[in-house]
Amino acid sequence: MLVALVVVTVIAIAANAVESVANFMGAAWVKRNSRAVGVPDSWLPFLGVVKGAAALGLAAGFVWRPLGVAAAVGLVVFFVLATALHVKERVFHNFYGPLGFLALSVAVLWLMIAA
């Protein structure tokens, strides 16, 4: 169980760190995806901070588990809202993104609690 926790958490850290950097850089694919659901470009730095903080929180969870659990809960909430926004706006061509991140976040949360 510990190996699964480490592997899944490291994947989640890397994925959210990449997303964070892409938000700060204003990557074209990030802008395209956010605009499709009505999120203005001005929000991208804030979203980068959120995802970066979550990645750091997950990493800190290896040392102090409550912080990792809190970061995982935050990610689950974030990606539930992102998924709901895609449904609300009827944007399904990139729906796999928030669903994949949501599944990864739920897995990390479950493993942090169970391990």
Side-chain angles (χ1 to χ4, degrees):
M1 185 76 100
L2 183 59
V3 172
L5 169 65
V6 171
V7 170
V8 173
T9 303
V10 167
I11 291 169
I13 291 167
N16 283 287
V18 167
E19 281 279 321
S20 176
V21 170
N23 276 267
F24 283 119
M25 291 178 59
W29 58 272
V30 171
K31 288 181 178 180
R32 196 170 39 253
N33 288 341
S34 62
R35 288 175 185 161
V37 293
V39 174
D41 291 349
S42 62
W43 287 21
L44 294 181
F46 171 72
L47 296 175
V49 168
V50 170
K51 293 171 188 175
L56 291 173
L58 292 177
F62 288 127
V63 177
W64 191 48
R65 187 69 54 92
L67 186 55
V69 170
V73 167
L75 282 171
V76 169
V77 170
F78 182 91
F79 288 113
V80 163
L81 294 173
T83 301
L85 184 58
H86 275 72
V87 171
K88 176 185 173 281
E89 297 296 327
R90 299 175 190 261
V91 176
F92 299 110
H93 68 275
N94 60 0
F95 196 54
Y96 63 88
L99 280 180
F101 274 90
L102 176 59
L104 187 59
S105 302
V106 168
V108 170
L109 177 60
W110 181 76
L111 287 166
M112 285 219 173
I113 292 170

